[in-house]
Coordinates of all heavy atoms in Angstrom, one line a residue:
M1 N 72.6 0.2 -24.7 CA 71.3 0.7 -24.8 C 70.5 0.4 -23.6 O 70.6 -0.7 -23.0 CB 70.6 0.0 -26.0 CG 69.2 0.4 -26.3 SD 68.5 -0.1 -27.8 CE 68.8 -1.8 -27.9
T2 N 69.6 1.3 -23.2 CA 68.8 1.1 -22.0 C 67.6 0.3 -22.3 O 67.2 0.1 -23.5 CB 68.4 2.5 -21.4 OG1 67.6 3.1 -22.3 CG2 69.6 3.3 -21.0
A3 N 66.8 -0.1 -21.3 CA 65.6 -0.9 -21.5 C 64.5 -0.2 -22.3 O 63.7 -0.8 -23.0 CB 65.0 -1.4 -20.2
D4 N 64.5 1.2 -22.2 CA 63.5 1.9 -23.0 C 64.0 2.3 -24.4 O 63.3 3.1 -25.0 CB 63.1 3.2 -22.2 CG 64.3 4.1 -21.9 OD1 65.4 3.8 -22.3 OD2 64.0 5.2 -21.4
G5 N 65.0 1.7 -24.9 CA 65.5 1.9 -26.2 C 66.4 3.1 -26.5 O 66.8 3.4 -27.6
Q6 N 66.8 3.8 -25.4 CA 67.7 4.9 -25.6 C 69.1 4.4 -25.8 O 69.5 3.5 -25.1 CB 67.6 5.9 -24.3 CG 66.2 6.5 -24.1 CD 65.8 7.4 -25.3 OE1 66.6 8.1 -25.8 NE2 64.6 7.2 -25.7
V7 N 69.8 5.1 -26.7 CA 71.2 4.7 -26.9 C 72.1 5.4 -25.9 O 72.0 6.7 -25.8 CB 71.6 5.1 -28.4 CG1 73.1 4.7 -28.6 CG2 70.7 4.3 -29.3
L8 N 72.9 4.7 -25.3 CA 73.9 5.3 -24.3 C 75.1 5.8 -25.1 O 75.5 5.2 -26.1 CB 74.3 4.3 -23.3 CG 73.2 3.7 -22.4 CD1 73.8 2.6 -21.5 CD2 72.6 4.8 -21.5
A9 N 75.7 6.9 -24.6 CA 76.9 7.4 -25.2 C 78.1 6.4 -24.8 O 78.4 6.3 -23.7 CB 77.2 8.8 -24.7
V10 N 78.6 5.7 -25.8 CA 79.7 4.8 -25.6 C 80.9 5.3 -26.3 O 80.8 5.6 -27.5 CB 79.3 3.4 -26.0 CG1 80.4 2.4 -25.9 CG2 78.0 2.9 -25.3
P11 N 82.0 5.4 -25.7 CA 83.2 5.8 -26.4 C 83.5 4.8 -27.5 O 83.5 3.6 -27.3 CB 84.3 5.8 -25.3 CG 83.8 5.2 -24.1 CD 82.3 5.1 -24.3
M12 N 83.8 5.3 -28.7 CA 84.1 4.4 -29.8 C 85.6 4.0 -29.8 O 86.4 4.8 -29.4 CB 83.7 5.1 -31.1 CG 82.3 5.5 -31.3 SD 81.3 4.0 -31.2 CE 80.7 4.0 -32.8
A13 N 85.8 2.8 -30.3 CA 87.2 2.4 -30.4 C 87.8 3.3 -31.5 O 87.2 3.8 -32.4 CB 87.2 0.9 -30.8
E14 N 89.1 3.5 -31.4 CA 89.8 4.3 -32.3 C 89.6 3.8 -33.7 O 89.7 2.6 -34.0 CB 91.3 4.3 -32.0 CG 92.0 5.4 -32.8 CD 93.5 5.5 -32.3 OE1 93.7 5.4 -31.1 OE2 94.3 5.7 -33.2
G15 N 89.2 4.6 -34.7 CA 89.0 4.2 -36.0 C 87.6 4.0 -36.4 O 87.2 3.7 -37.5
Y16 N 86.7 4.2 -35.4 CA 85.2 4.0 -35.7 C 84.5 5.3 -35.3 O 84.9 6.0 -34.4 CB 84.7 2.8 -34.9 CG 85.3 1.5 -35.3 CD1 86.3 0.9 -34.6 CD2 84.8 0.9 -36.5 CE1 86.8 -0.3 -35.0 CE2 85.4 -0.3 -36.9 CZ 86.4 -0.9 -36.1 OH 86.9 -2.1 -36.5
K17 N 83.3 5.5 -35.9 CA 82.5 6.7 -35.6 C 81.0 6.3 -35.8 O 80.7 5.5 -36.7 CB 82.9 7.9 -36.4 CG 82.7 7.8 -37.9 CD 83.1 9.0 -38.6 CE 83.0 8.8 -40.1 NZ 83.4 10.0 -40.9
A18 N 80.1 7.0 -35.1 CA 78.7 6.7 -35.2 C 78.1 7.8 -36.1 O 78.4 9.0 -35.9 CB 78.0 6.7 -33.9
V19 N 77.3 7.4 -37.1 CA 76.6 8.4 -37.9 C 75.2 8.1 -38.0 O 74.8 6.9 -37.8 CB 77.3 8.4 -39.4 CG1 78.7 8.9 -39.3 CG2 77.2 7.1 -40.0
S20 N 74.4 9.0 -38.3 CA 72.9 8.8 -38.5 C 72.6 8.2 -39.8 O 73.1 8.6 -40.8 CB 72.2 10.1 -38.3 OG 70.8 9.9 -38.6
G21 N 71.8 7.1 -39.8 CA 71.4 6.5 -41.0 C 70.0 6.8 -41.4 O 69.4 6.2 -42.3
G22 N 69.4 7.7 -40.7 CA 68.0 8.1 -41.0 C 67.3 8.2 -39.6 O 67.9 7.9 -38.6
P23 N 66.0 8.5 -39.6 CA 65.3 8.6 -38.4 C 65.3 7.3 -37.6 O 64.8 6.3 -38.2 CB 63.9 9.0 -38.8 CG 64.0 9.5 -40.2 CD 65.2 8.9 -40.8
G24 N 65.8 7.2 -36.4 CA 65.8 6.0 -35.6 C 66.9 5.0 -36.0 O 66.9 3.9 -35.4
V25 N 67.8 5.4 -36.9 CA 68.8 4.4 -37.3 C 70.2 5.0 -37.1 O 70.4 6.2 -37.4 CB 68.6 4.0 -38.8 CG1 69.7 3.1 -39.2 CG2 67.3 3.4 -39.0
Q26 N 71.1 4.3 -36.4 CA 72.5 4.8 -36.3 C 73.4 3.7 -36.9 O 73.2 2.5 -36.7 CB 72.8 4.9 -34.8 CG 72.8 6.3 -34.3 CD 73.4 6.4 -32.9 OE1 73.5 5.5 -32.2 NE2 74.0 7.6 -32.7
L27 N 74.4 4.2 -37.6 CA 75.4 3.3 -38.2 C 76.7 3.6 -37.5 O 77.1 4.7 -37.3 CB 75.5 3.6 -39.7 CG 74.2 3.6 -40.5 CD1 74.5 4.1 -41.9 CD2 73.7 2.2 -40.6
V28 N 77.5 2.5 -37.3 CA 78.9 2.7 -36.9 C 79.7 2.3 -38.1 O 79.6 1.3 -38.7 CB 79.2 1.7 -35.7 CG1 80.6 1.8 -35.3 CG2 78.3 2.0 -34.5
T29 N 80.6 3.3 -38.4 CA 81.5 3.1 -39.6 C 82.9 3.1 -39.2 O 83.3 3.7 -38.2 CB 81.2 4.2 -40.7 OG1 81.5 5.5 -40.1 CG2 79.7 4.1 -41.1
S30 N 83.7 2.5 -40.0 CA 85.2 2.6 -39.9 C 85.7 3.8 -40.5 O 84.9 4.6 -41.2 CB 85.8 1.3 -40.5 OG 85.7 1.4 -41.9
D31 N 87.0 4.1 -40.3 CA 87.6 5.3 -41.0 C 87.5 5.2 -42.5 O 87.4 6.2 -43.2 CB 89.1 5.4 -40.6 CG 89.2 6.0 -39.2 OD1 88.3 6.6 -38.7 OD2 90.3 5.8 -38.6
E32 N 87.4 4.0 -43.0 CA 87.3 3.8 -44.5 C 85.9 4.0 -45.0 O 85.6 3.9 -46.2 CB 87.9 2.5 -44.9 CG 89.4 2.3 -44.7 CD 89.7 1.9 -43.3 OE1 88.9 1.2 -42.6 OE2 90.7 2.3 -42.8
G33 N 84.9 4.1 -44.1 CA 83.5 4.3 -44.5 C 82.7 3.0 -44.5 O 81.6 3.1 -44.9
E34 N 83.3 1.9 -44.1 CA 82.6 0.7 -44.1 C 81.7 0.6 -42.9 O 82.0 1.0 -41.8 CB 83.6 -0.5 -44.0 CG 84.4 -0.7 -45.2 CD 85.3 -1.9 -45.0 OE1 84.8 -3.0 -44.5 OE2 86.5 -1.8 -45.4
V35 N 80.4 0.1 -43.1 CA 79.5 0.0 -42.0 C 79.8 -1.3 -41.3 O 79.9 -2.4 -41.8 CB 78.0 -0.1 -42.6 CG1 77.0 -0.3 -41.4 CG2 77.7 1.2 -43.3
V36 N 80.1 -1.1 -40.0 CA 80.4 -2.3 -39.1 C 79.3 -2.7 -38.1 O 79.3 -3.8 -37.6 CB 81.8 -2.1 -38.4 CG1 82.9 -2.0 -39.4 CG2 81.7 -0.8 -37.5
A37 N 78.3 -1.8 -37.9 CA 77.2 -2.1 -37.0 C 76.1 -1.2 -37.4 O 76.2 -0.1 -37.8 CB 77.6 -1.9 -35.6
V38 N 74.9 -1.7 -37.1 CA 73.6 -0.9 -37.3 C 72.8 -1.0 -36.1 O 72.6 -2.1 -35.5 CB 72.8 -1.4 -38.5 CG1 71.5 -0.7 -38.7 CG2 73.7 -1.4 -39.8
H39 N 72.2 0.1 -35.6 CA 71.3 0.1 -34.5 C 70.0 0.8 -35.0 O 70.0 1.9 -35.5 CB 71.8 0.9 -33.3 CG 70.8 1.0 -32.2 ND1 70.0 2.1 -32.1 CD2 70.4 0.2 -31.2 CE1 69.2 2.0 -31.1 NE2 69.4 0.8 -30.6
M40 N 68.9 0.1 -34.8 CA 67.5 0.6 -35.1 C 66.8 0.8 -33.8 O 66.7 -0.2 -33.0 CB 66.7 -0.3 -36.0 CG 67.1 -0.2 -37.5 SD 66.0 -1.2 -38.5 CE 64.6 -0.2 -38.5
S41 N 66.2 1.9 -33.6 CA 65.4 2.1 -32.4 C 64.2 1.3 -32.4 O 63.7 0.8 -33.5 CB 65.0 3.6 -32.2 OG 64.1 4.0 -33.2
Q42 N 63.6 1.1 -31.3 CA 62.3 0.3 -31.2 C 61.2 0.9 -32.0 O 60.4 0.3 -32.6 CB 61.9 0.0 -29.8 CG 62.9 -0.9 -29.0 CD 62.6 -1.0 -27.6 OE1 62.0 -0.1 -27.0 NE2 62.9 -2.1 -27.0
T43 N 61.2 2.3 -32.0 CA 60.2 3.0 -32.8 C 60.4 2.8 -34.2 O 59.4 2.5 -35.0 CB 60.2 4.5 -32.4 OG1 60.1 4.7 -31.0 CG2 59.2 5.3 -33.2
A44 N 61.6 2.8 -34.7 CA 61.9 2.6 -36.1 C 61.5 1.2 -36.5 O 60.9 0.9 -37.6 CB 63.3 2.9 -36.5
Q45 N 61.8 0.2 -35.7 CA 61.4 -1.2 -36.0 C 59.9 -1.3 -36.1 O 59.4 -2.0 -37.0 CB 62.0 -2.1 -34.9 CG 63.5 -2.2 -34.9 CD 63.9 -3.1 -33.7 OE1 63.2 -4.0 -33.3 NE2 65.1 -2.8 -33.2
L46 N 59.2 -0.7 -35.1 CA 57.7 -0.8 -35.2 C 57.2 -0.2 -36.5 O 56.4 -0.9 -37.1 CB 57.1 -0.1 -34.0 CG 55.6 0.1 -34.0 CD1 54.9 -1.3 -33.9 CD2 55.2 1.0 -32.8
Y47 N 57.6 1.0 -36.8 CA 57.0 1.6 -38.0 C 57.4 0.9 -39.3 O 56.7 0.9 -40.3 CB 57.4 3.1 -38.0 CG 56.5 3.9 -37.1 CD1 57.0 4.6 -36.0 CD2 55.1 3.9 -37.3 CE1 56.2 5.3 -35.2 CE2 54.3 4.6 -36.4 CZ 54.8 5.3 -35.4 OH 54.0 6.0 -34.5
T48 N 58.6 0.3 -39.3 CA 59.0 -0.5 -40.5 C 58.1 -1.7 -40.7 O 57.6 -1.9 -41.8 CB 60.5 -1.0 -40.3 OG1 61.3 0.2 -40.3 CG2 60.9 -1.8 -41.5
T49 N 57.8 -2.3 -39.6 CA 56.9 -3.5 -39.6 C 55.5 -3.1 -40.0 O 54.8 -3.7 -40.9 CB 56.8 -4.2 -38.3 OG1 58.2 -4.6 -37.9 CG2 55.9 -5.4 -38.3
V50 N 55.0 -2.0 -39.4 CA 53.6 -1.5 -39.7 C 53.5 -1.1 -41.2 O 52.5 -1.4 -41.9 CB 53.2 -0.4 -38.7 CG1 51.9 0.3 -39.2 CG2 53.0 -1.0 -37.3
D51 N 54.5 -0.4 -41.7 CA 54.5 0.1 -43.1 C 54.5 -1.1 -44.0 O 53.9 -1.1 -45.1 CB 55.7 1.0 -43.3 CG 55.5 2.4 -42.7 OD1 54.3 2.7 -42.3 OD2 56.5 3.1 -42.6
R52 N 55.3 -2.2 -43.7 CA 55.3 -3.3 -44.5 C 53.9 -4.0 -44.6 O 53.4 -4.4 -45.7 CB 56.3 -4.4 -44.1 CG 57.7 -3.9 -44.4 CD 58.8 -4.9 -43.8 NE 58.5 -6.3 -44.2 CZ 58.9 -7.3 -43.4 NH1 59.5 -7.1 -42.3 NH2 58.6 -8.5 -43.8
I53 N 53.2 -4.0 -43.5 CA 51.8 -4.6 -43.4 C 50.9 -3.7 -44.2 O 50.1 -4.2 -45.0 CB 51.4 -4.7 -42.0 CG1 52.2 -5.9 -41.3 CG2 49.9 -5.1 -41.9 CD1 52.0 -6.0 -39.8
L54 N 50.9 -2.4 -44.0 CA 50.0 -1.5 -44.7 C 50.2 -1.4 -46.2 O 49.3 -1.2 -46.9 CB 50.1 -0.1 -44.1 CG 49.6 0.1 -42.6 CD1 49.9 1.5 -42.1 CD2 48.2 -0.3 -42.5
N55 N 51.5 -1.5 -46.6 CA 51.8 -1.5 -48.0 C 51.5 -2.8 -48.8 O 51.7 -2.8 -50.0 CB 53.2 -1.0 -48.2 CG 53.4 0.4 -47.8 OD1 52.5 1.2 -47.9 ND2 54.6 0.8 -47.4
S56 N 51.2 -3.8 -48.1 CA 50.9 -5.1 -48.7 C 49.6 -5.0 -49.5 O 48.6 -4.4 -49.0 CB 50.8 -6.2 -47.6 OG 50.4 -7.4 -48.2
Q57 N 49.6 -5.5 -50.6 CA 48.4 -5.5 -51.5 C 47.4 -6.7 -51.2 O 46.5 -6.9 -52.0 CB 48.8 -5.4 -52.9 CG 49.5 -4.2 -53.3 CD 48.7 -2.9 -53.1 OE1 47.5 -2.9 -53.5 NE2 49.3 -1.9 -52.5
R58 N 47.7 -7.4 -50.2 CA 46.9 -8.6 -49.9 C 46.5 -8.6 -48.4 O 47.0 -7.9 -47.6 CB 47.6 -9.9 -50.3 CG 48.9 -10.1 -49.5 CD 49.6 -11.4 -50.0 NE 50.6 -11.7 -49.0 CZ 51.9 -11.4 -49.1 NH1 52.3 -10.6 -50.1 NH2 52.7 -11.7 -48.2
I59 N 45.5 -9.5 -48.1 CA 45.1 -9.6 -46.7 C 46.2 -10.5 -46.0 O 46.6 -11.5 -46.5 CB 43.7 -10.3 -46.6 CG1 42.7 -9.4 -47.2 CG2 43.4 -10.6 -45.2 CD1 41.3 -10.0 -47.3
L60 N 46.6 -10.0 -44.9 CA 47.7 -10.7 -44.2 C 47.1 -11.5 -43.0 O 46.2 -11.1 -42.3 CB 48.7 -9.8 -43.6 CG 49.6 -9.0 -44.6 CD1 50.5 -8.1 -43.9 CD2 50.4 -10.0 -45.4
S61 N 47.6 -12.7 -42.9 CA 47.3 -13.6 -41.7 C 48.6 -13.9 -41.1 O 49.4 -14.7 -41.7 CB 46.5 -14.8 -42.1 OG 46.3 -15.6 -41.0
L62 N 49.0 -13.3 -40.0 CA 50.3 -13.5 -39.3 C 50.3 -14.8 -38.5 O 49.3 -15.1 -37.8 CB 50.6 -12.4 -38.4 CG 50.8 -11.0 -39.1 CD1 51.0 -10.0 -38.0 CD2 52.0 -11.0 -40.0
P63 N 51.3 -15.6 -38.6 CA 51.5 -16.8 -37.7 C 51.5 -16.3 -36.3 O 51.9 -15.1 -36.0 CB 52.8 -17.4 -38.1 CG 53.1 -16.8 -39.5 CD 52.5 -15.5 -39.6
L64 N 51.3 -17.2 -35.4 CA 51.2 -16.8 -33.9 C 52.4 -16.2 -33.4 O 52.4 -15.2 -32.7 CB 50.9 -18.1 -33.1 CG 50.6 -17.9 -31.6 CD1 49.4 -17.0 -31.4 CD2 50.4 -19.2 -30.9
A65 N 53.6 -16.7 -33.8 CA 54.9 -16.1 -33.3 C 55.0 -14.7 -33.8 O 55.5 -13.8 -33.1 CB 56.0 -17.0 -33.8
D66 N 54.6 -14.4 -35.1 CA 54.7 -13.1 -35.6 C 53.7 -12.1 -34.9 O 54.0 -10.9 -34.7 CB 54.5 -13.1 -37.1 CG 55.6 -13.7 -37.9 OD1 56.7 -13.9 -37.3 OD2 55.4 -14.0 -39.1
R67 N 52.6 -12.6 -34.5 CA 51.6 -11.8 -33.8 C 52.2 -11.3 -32.5 O 52.0 -10.2 -32.1 CB 50.3 -12.6 -33.6 CG 49.5 -12.6 -34.8 CD 48.1 -13.3 -34.5 NE 48.1 -14.5 -35.4 CZ 47.2 -15.4 -35.2 NH1 46.4 -15.4 -34.2 NH2 47.2 -16.4 -36.1
Y68 N 52.8 -12.3 -31.7 CA 53.4 -11.9 -30.5 C 54.6 -11.0 -30.7 O 54.8 -10.1 -29.9 CB 53.8 -13.2 -29.7 CG 52.7 -13.9 -29.0 CD1 52.3 -15.1 -29.4 CD2 52.0 -13.3 -28.0 CE1 51.2 -15.8 -28.8 CE2 51.0 -13.9 -27.3 CZ 50.6 -15.2 -27.7 OH 49.5 -15.8 -27.1
S69 N 55.3 -11.2 -31.7 CA 56.5 -10.3 -32.0 C 56.0 -8.9 -32.3 O 56.5 -7.9 -31.8 CB 57.2 -10.8 -33.2 OG 58.2 -9.9 -33.6
L70 N 54.9 -8.7 -33.1 CA 54.3 -7.4 -33.4 C 53.8 -6.8 -32.1 O 54.0 -5.6 -31.8 CB 53.3 -7.5 -34.4 CG 52.6 -6.2 -34.9 CD1 53.6 -5.2 -35.4 CD2 51.5 -6.5 -35.9
A71 N 53.1 -7.6 -31.3 CA 52.5 -7.1 -30.0 C 53.6 -6.6 -29.1 O 53.5 -5.5 -28.4 CB 51.7 -8.1 -29.3
G72 N 54.7 -7.3 -29.1 CA 55.9 -6.9 -28.3 C 56.5 -5.5 -28.8 O 56.9 -4.7 -28.0
K73 N 56.6 -5.4 -30.1 CA 57.1 -4.1 -30.7 C 56.2 -3.0 -30.3 O 56.7 -1.9 -30.0 CB 57.2 -4.3 -32.2 CG 58.4 -5.1 -32.6 CD 58.5 -5.3 -34.1 CE 59.6 -6.2 -34.5 NZ 59.7 -6.4 -35.9
V74 N 54.9 -3.2 -30.4 CA 53.9 -2.1 -30.0 C 54.0 -1.8 -28.5 O 54.1 -0.6 -28.2 CB 52.5 -2.5 -30.4 CG1 51.5 -1.5 -29.8 CG2 52.3 -2.7 -31.9
A75 N 54.1 -2.8 -27.7 CA 54.1 -2.6 -26.3 C 55.4 -1.9 -25.8 O 55.4 -1.2 -24.8 CB 54.0 -3.9 -25.5
A76 N 56.5 -2.0 -26.6 CA 57.8 -1.4 -26.2 C 57.8 0.1 -26.4 O 58.7 0.7 -25.8 CB 58.9 -2.1 -27.1
V77 N 56.9 0.7 -27.1 CA 56.9 2.1 -27.4 C 55.5 2.7 -27.1 O 54.8 3.2 -28.0 CB 57.4 2.4 -28.8 CG1 58.9 2.2 -28.9 CG2 56.6 1.6 -29.8
P78 N 55.1 2.8 -25.8 CA 53.8 3.3 -25.5 C 53.6 4.8 -25.9 O 52.5 5.2 -26.1 CB 53.7 3.1 -24.0 CG 55.1 2.9 -23.5 CD 55.8 2.3 -24.6
A79 N 54.7 5.5 -26.0 CA 54.6 6.9 -26.4 C 54.1 7.0 -27.9 O 53.6 8.1 -28.3 CB 55.9 7.6 -26.3
E80 N 54.2 6.0 -28.6 CA 53.8 6.0 -30.0 C 52.4 5.5 -30.3 O 52.0 5.4 -31.4 CB 54.8 5.2 -30.9 CG 56.2 5.7 -30.9 CD 56.3 7.1 -31.6 OE1 55.7 7.2 -32.7 OE2 56.9 8.0 -31.0
F81 N 51.6 5.1 -29.3 CA 50.3 4.5 -29.5 C 49.4 5.5 -30.3 O 48.7 5.0 -31.2 CB 49.6 4.2 -28.1 CG 50.2 3.0 -27.4 CD1 49.8 2.7 -26.1 CD2 51.2 2.2 -28.0 CE1 50.3 1.6 -25.5 CE2 51.7 1.2 -27.3 CZ 51.3 0.8 -26.0
G82 N 49.4 6.7 -30.0 CA 48.5 7.7 -30.7 C 48.8 7.8 -32.1 O 48.0 7.7 -33.0
R83 N 50.1 7.9 -32.4 CA 50.6 8.0 -33.8 C 50.3 6.7 -34.6 O 50.0 6.7 -35.8 CB 52.0 8.4 -33.9 CG 52.2 9.9 -33.6 CD 53.7 10.3 -33.9 NE 54.5 10.0 -32.7 CZ 54.7 10.7 -31.6 NH1 54.1 11.9 -31.6 NH2 55.5 10.3 -30.7
L84 N 50.5 5.6 -33.9 CA 50.3 4.3 -34.5 C 48.8 4.1 -34.9 O 48.5 3.7 -36.0 CB 50.8 3.2 -33.6 CG 50.5 1.8 -34.1 CD1 51.3 1.5 -35.4 CD2 50.9 0.8 -33.0
I85 N 47.9 4.5 -34.0 CA 46.5 4.4 -34.3 C 46.1 5.3 -35.4 O 45.4 4.9 -36.3 CB 45.7 4.6 -33.0 CG1 45.9 3.5 -32.0 CG2 44.2 4.8 -33.3 CD1 45.4 3.8 -30.6
E86 N 46.7 6.5 -35.4 CA 46.4 7.4 -36.5 C 46.9 6.9 -37.9 O 46.2 7.0 -38.9 CB 47.1 8.8 -36.2 CG 46.8 9.8 -37.3 CD 47.5 11.1 -37.0 OE1 47.9 11.3 -35.8 OE2 47.7 11.9 -37.9
R87 N 48.1 6.3 -37.9 CA 48.6 5.7 -39.1 C 47.7 4.6 -39.6 O 47.4 4.5 -40.8 CB 50.0 5.3 -38.9 CG 50.6 4.7 -40.2 CD 52.1 4.4 -40.1 NE 52.8 5.7 -40.2 CZ 54.1 5.8 -40.3 NH1 54.8 4.8 -40.1 NH2 54.6 7.0 -40.4
L88 N 47.4 3.7 -38.7 CA 46.5 2.5 -39.1 C 45.2 3.0 -39.6 O 44.7 2.5 -40.6 CB 46.3 1.6 -37.9 CG 47.6 0.8 -37.4 CD1 47.3 0.1 -36.1 CD2 48.1 -0.1 -38.5
A89 N 44.5 3.9 -38.9 CA 43.2 4.4 -39.3 C 43.2 5.1 -40.6 O 42.3 5.0 -41.4 CB 42.7 5.4 -38.2
S90 N 44.3 5.8 -40.9 CA 44.4 6.6 -42.2 C 44.7 5.7 -43.4 O 44.5 6.1 -44.5 CB 45.4 7.7 -42.1 OG 46.7 7.1 -42.0
H91 N 45.1 4.4 -43.1 CA 45.4 3.5 -44.2 C 44.4 2.4 -44.4 O 44.5 1.6 -45.3 CB 46.8 2.9 -44.0 CG 47.9 3.8 -44.3 ND1 48.4 4.7 -43.4 CD2 48.7 4.0 -45.4 CE1 49.4 5.4 -43.9 NE2 49.5 5.0 -45.1
V92 N 43.4 2.3 -43.5 CA 42.5 1.2 -43.6 C 41.2 1.7 -44.2 O 40.6 2.7 -43.7 CB 42.2 0.6 -42.2 CG1 41.1 -0.4 -42.3 CG2 43.5 0.0 -41.6
A93 N 40.8 1.1 -45.3 CA 39.5 1.5 -45.9 C 38.4 0.7 -45.4 O 38.5 -0.4 -45.0 CB 39.6 1.3 -47.5
T94 N 37.2 1.3 -45.4 CA 36.0 0.6 -44.9 C 35.2 0.0 -46.0 O 34.3 -0.8 -45.8 CB 35.1 1.5 -44.1 OG1 34.7 2.6 -45.0 CG2 35.8 2.1 -42.9
A95 N 35.6 0.3 -47.3 CA 34.9 -0.3 -48.5 C 36.0 -0.4 -49.6 O 37.0 0.3 -49.6 CB 33.8 0.6 -48.9
F96 N 35.7 -1.3 -50.5 CA 36.7 -1.5 -51.6 C 37.0 -0.3 -52.4 O 38.1 0.0 -52.8 CB 36.2 -2.7 -52.5 CG 36.4 -4.0 -51.9 CD1 35.3 -4.8 -51.6 CD2 37.6 -4.5 -51.5 CE1 35.4 -6.0 -51.0 CE2 37.8 -5.8 -51.0 CZ 36.7 -6.5 -50.7
N97 N 35.9 0.5 -52.6 CA 36.1 1.7 -53.5 C 36.8 2.9 -52.7 O 37.1 3.9 -53.3 CB 34.8 2.2 -54.0 CG 33.8 2.6 -53.0 OD1 34.1 2.5 -51.8 ND2 32.6 3.0 -53.4
E98 N 37.1 2.7 -51.4 CA 37.8 3.8 -50.7 C 39.3 3.6 -50.8 O 40.1 4.5 -50.6 CB 37.5 3.7 -49.2 CG 36.1 4.3 -48.9 CD 35.8 4.3 -47.4 OE1 36.8 4.6 -46.7 OE2 34.7 4.1 -47.0
A99 N 39.8 2.4 -51.1 CA 41.2 2.0 -51.1 C 42.0 2.8 -52.2 O 41.5 3.2 -53.1 CB 41.4 0.5 -51.2

């Protein structure tokens, strides 16, 4: 994988193949269908984390290490800033009766 999160084409060992596990997710499976490796893109990791926060029914206070981890995930995908802001803005209510 490159520094910008792109997956390089790597020849698979005999008996293994790469399949899509959904948007931003790749699975490496054996001939028998067993999953032997999983790769999530940085974008998929960011949106998974943001969705977990937005779907929480309580106010979250992240520990310092988690704040830096989230900041790193956001910084890793600058192309997603606009979509991320749109997602956050569409899920945040300004009053209790808007939620």
Side-chain angles (χ1 to χ4, degrees):
M1 180 170 50
T2 63
D4 62 355
Q6 298 297 317
V7 177
L8 298 174
V10 177
M12 298 300 246
E14 191 172 323
Y16 295 100
K17 63 181 175 181
V19 295
S20 175
V25 179
Q26 260 195 330
L27 305 172
V28 177
T29 61
S30 67
D31 284 340
E32 294 82 33
E34 293 181 41
V35 176
V36 294
V38 177
H39 172 266
M40 283 186 70
S41 70
Q42 291 175 330
T43 304
Q45 291 177 28
L46 171 65
Y47 282 116
T48 298
T49 302
V50 169
D51 287 343
R52 286 178 48 210
I53 291 171
L54 292 175
N55 292 330
S56 175
Q57 296 297 314
R58 62 182 194 267
I59 295 174
L60 292 177
S61 175
L62 297 174
L64 186 61
D66 290 345
R67 284 184 239 165
Y68 282 112
S69 173
L70 180 58
K73 288 178 182 180
V74 171
V77 286
E80 295 295 316
F81 287 174
R83 284 186 279 276
L84 177 61
I85 291 169
E86 181 181 339
R87 180 171 282 184
L88 291 172
S90 68
H91 284 84
V92 175
T94 56
F96 286 116
N97 60 0
E98 287 184 35

